[in-house]
Amino acid sequence: MNLPVNPKAITETQTPVETPIITVAHGDGIGPEIMDAALEVLSAGGAHFEIEPIEIGEKVYLSGISAGITPGAWDSLRRTRVFFKAPITTPQGGGYKSLNVTVRKSLGLFANVRPCAAYAPYIATKHPEMDVVIIRENEEDLYAGIEHRQSDEVYQCLKLISRPGCEKIVRYAFEYARAYGRKKVTCMVKDNIMKLTDGLFAKVFDEIKVEYPEIEAEHYIIDIGTARLADQPERFDVIVTPNLYGDIISDVAAEVAGSVGMGASANIGSSCAMFEAIHGSAPDIAGQNIANPSGLILAGVMMLVHLGQSEAASRIHNAWLKTVEDGVGTADMKPESGALGTKEFARAVVERIGQMPANLPAANYAADAKPITIADPVRKAPAVKEMVGVDVFTQHAGDADTLAASLNAAATDAFELVLITNRGVKVWPEGLPETFCTDHWRCRFEARGKVGIADVAALLAACGEAGIDAIKTENLYTFDGERGFSLGQGQ
Ligand code: NAD
């Protein structure tokens, strides 16, 4: 069903040895209403935990803390290691950093797990067979947030993909598929364009898939993959993808399932985890008792499985499924019997605790279900790294030929100018007059012999003396003889 259901049956009554403490944030907008509703349902279903409340979000941002979270809240998160979080409002403008991204990266929550399933015929959807879990890498990619303005016209955002990051998320996806009886893992990247970064993700996927021969593994380029996911989601089972694509396709999948207000997500790290609904703080309906608490309730179910309380998780999930089957829901679920308020819906779920769905597949989390753990990736021995050139990025208002002439005049003996590109396209030598050029140029110098960083510094100094505005450099290396940089388009 919506949440991953462990194929193993519950075999014994669970008695938690000690009561875990979880950190809870009631958030902003509809957050407090849906958190109260979710906690009421979890408690009635037999969940076992103590709560340590923290304040995060709008008030904290507006108090002058740009990260939206206080040092005391960090202490709580690092102590309890389990975070049940309602949505927060990020104030517009003012350069506030995303709290979600900060928490995910600071606590090492590398895997974002989002189940997206249809509840046909009870919730309207064009895709009644859909049952997809999206596993999104959560720490890397363009979300490193390293951005620079480099010239009057051009801005840059760095996309960082690491081998250990790829290994952790791909292995997590396969382990997840194995633990939850899933049959197929699909890798979605754009490695036909980003051959080094997305190429690494795809390569690691191919390396790791052979360790899971019972699970089908396939690749899609992200663009056609997204189109297929929107049109035929029943083709997919588990999808693993880098951060930005995962952000986009998980919203596509939730929308296609017809259940944005019912979407739950888990953010999993090796020592901490965060559970939340996928939607935001919905300020347009805050304080009206009409918000759907389902996403947060189902995130709570995922949290209980994580805490080893799978019996309570199954009980609560099944009560919720029965409520859906009975045609009972909040306005966004378009229930047959008329919309209930947030509190009333929560009570309807509580009333069904102990009941099972008649038609929707029942949840049945294994008694011994435990968080999926991934061993730290084994670091490879460092490669033999040789500098073979340098890309010098410059701001220049003229054309490529005049820039090439001044660069050639400034070049030192160590390097030879071989290429100039503009936005990645070769414009010198032999550029096309049709190519539109900005004021931002990448000038590629090849080493004439053995070079080091001092030679790069000398080249830059010569550029400076010649009045060339060198913005930044990227050293060109080979690693064990393999080229560690892309060629210019047209090179
Ligand atoms: P949103 O998800 O809050 O709302 C989008 C639409 O969906 C609105 O019409 C809203 O009324 C509706 N909606 C959302 N949740 C619902 C629910 N549970 N029940 C019924 N209807 C629901 O997205 P937004 O309006 O783009 O963002 C509002 C704020 O939330 C922004 O400040 C944004 O930064 C923040 N946000 C927070 C999180 C988070 O904390 N995880 C995630 C996304 C957005």
Side-chain angles (χ1 to χ4, degrees):
M1 205 47 260
N2 185 27
L3 300 183
V5 176
N6 201 306
K8 291 182 234 158
I10 295 170
T11 51
E12 58 191 76
T13 303
Q14 292 175 308
T15 342
V17 263
E18 59 184 58
T19 304
I21 304 172
I22 62 167
T23 300
V24 170
H26 279 73
D28 300 314
I30 59 171
E33 303 160 57
I34 60 172
M35 181 53 85
D36 285 343
L39 289 174
E40 183 187 340
V41 170
L42 295 191
S43 159
H48 229 76
F49 49 70
E50 278 174 26
I51 288 169
E52 205 166 280
I54 58 166
E55 181 87 65
I56 54 164
E58 201 170 18
K59 266 195 227 142
V60 181
Y61 280 121
L62 297 177
S63 75
I65 299 175
S66 66
I69 178 164
T70 61
W74 278 122
D75 290 344
S76 172
L77 291 175
R78 296 193 57 225
R79 195 167 44 245
T80 68
R81 303 190 170 275
V82 179
F83 188 15
F84 193 33
K85 174 182 163 292
I88 59 139
T89 301
T90 310
Q92 294 284 311
Y96 299 106
K97 281 277 184 191
S98 160
L99 174 68
N100 271 344
V101 176
T102 305
V103 172
R104 285 170 189 163
K105 294 207 302 199
S106 304
L107 296 181
L109 309 181
F110 67 91
N112 186 317
V113 182
R114 267 197 196 185
C116 298
Y119 300 99
Y122 308 102
I123 307 284
T125 174
K126 292 184 188 126
H127 305 287
E129 302 298 319
M130 176 174 188
D131 183 9
V132 179
V133 179
I134 293 173
I135 298 190
R136 160 188 171 195
E137 199 291 319
N138 227 5
E139 297 180 288
E140 307 199 326
D141 199 355
L142 292 156
Y143 288 67
I146 304 174
E147 295 188 292
H148 296 96
R149 180 173 178 176
Q150 300 201 325
S151 69
D152 283 327
E153 294 178 344
V154 173
Y155 299 69
Q156 172 188 272
C157 177
L158 280 187
K159 172 166 168 136
L160 296 177
I161 303 278
S162 75
R163 174 169 269 279
C166 294
E167 286 181 5
K168 280 198 297 184
I169 195 67
V170 169
R171 192 170 292 288
Y172 186 91
F174 278 101
E175 285 294 324
Y176 181 95
R178 185 173 271 176
Y180 290 105
R182 298 268 173 172
K183 302 276 181 290
K184 183 166 76 172
V185 180
T186 305
C187 171
M188 289 198 192
V189 287
K190 186 88 184 165
D191 56 339
N192 54 333
I193 301 295
M194 284 157 278
K195 295 187 167 68
L196 291 187
T197 49
D198 284 18
L200 175 65
F201 196 98
K203 185 172 167 195
V204 167
F205 182 84
D206 285 340
E207 286 168 11
I208 290 180
K209 72 181 184 190
V210 295
E211 297 174 38
Y212 301 85
E214 79 281 17
I215 297 165
E216 188 187 339
E218 67 174 4
H219 287 272
Y220 267 94
I221 300 287
I222 185 69
D223 39 14
I224 187 64
T226 309
R228 290 272 154 79
L229 178 65
D231 188 49
Q232 300 162 46
E234 61 283 352
R235 291 171 74 126
F236 297 98
D237 193 349
V238 174
I239 297 174
V240 64
T241 186
N243 208 339
L244 178 63
Y245 310 140
D247 194 0
I248 296 167
I249 66 165
S250 51
D251 270 22
V252 169
E255 186 79 15
V256 164
S259 61
V260 179
M262 288 174 277
S265 80
N267 295 270
I268 306 288
S270 52
S271 60
C272 302
M274 173 169 86
F275 301 86
E276 60 179 344
I278 66 169
H279 56 74
S281 58
D284 53 333
I285 57 167
Q288 298 173 39
N289 189 42
I290 56 175
N292 188 351
S294 296
L296 202 54
I297 293 172
L298 296 175
V301 168
M302 293 171 96
M303 178 176 71
L304 292 180
V305 177
H306 177 86
L307 290 170
Q309 300 180 28
S310 45
E311 198 177 341
S314 300
R315 197 180 301 123
I316 293 159
H317 195 176
N318 286 325
W320 182 84
L321 290 167
K322 179 74 168 87
T323 311
V324 170
E325 273 191 0
D326 288 348
V328 174
T330 48
D332 56 302
M333 295 161 81
K334 302 186 180 61
E336 282 168 10
S337 56
L340 292 188
T342 310
K343 286 184 189 153
E344 293 71 25
F345 178 76
R347 257 168 240 143
V349 179
V350 168
E351 279 163 18
R352 289 166 177 80
I353 298 278
Q355 296 182 36
M356 300 294 284
N359 300 311
L360 292 170
N364 191 8
Y365 299 99
D368 60 354
K370 42 184 184 297
I372 294 165
T373 50
I374 301 295
D376 284 341
V378 179
R379 294 311 228 291
K380 291 195 178 239
V384 176
K385 185 175 171 188
E386 191 187 348
M387 190 189 284
V388 294
V390 62
D391 280 347
V392 179
F393 291 76
T394 65
Q395 177 170 348
H396 168 71
D399 62 19
D401 288 339
T402 51
L403 177 60
S406 31
L407 286 165
N408 271 325
T412 57
D413 290 344
F415 294 103
E416 180 191 1
L417 179 69
V418 292
L419 170 78
I420 300 176
T421 66
N422 197 292
R423 294 187 298 177
V425 178
K426 186 179 90 165
V427 290
W428 182 92
E430 294 158 15
L432 296 179
E434 289 81 5
T435 306
F436 177 80
C437 291
T438 67
D439 62 355
H440 182 268
W441 310 77
R442 185 262 303 264
C443 312
R444 175 157 289 178
F445 289 88
E446 262 176 25
R448 289 199 160 97
K450 200 166 170 45
V451 289
I453 201 74
D455 298 297
V456 174
L459 176 65
L460 285 181
C463 285
E465 278 168 28
I468 296 164
D469 181 7
I471 303 159
K472 71 157 195 169
T473 56
E474 293 283 354
N475 298 337
L476 308 181
Y477 295 108
T478 56
F479 293 80
D480 288 338
E482 191 178 310
R483 185 162 40 81
F485 51 91
S486 58
L487 298 177
Q489 265 160 16
Q491 191 180 5

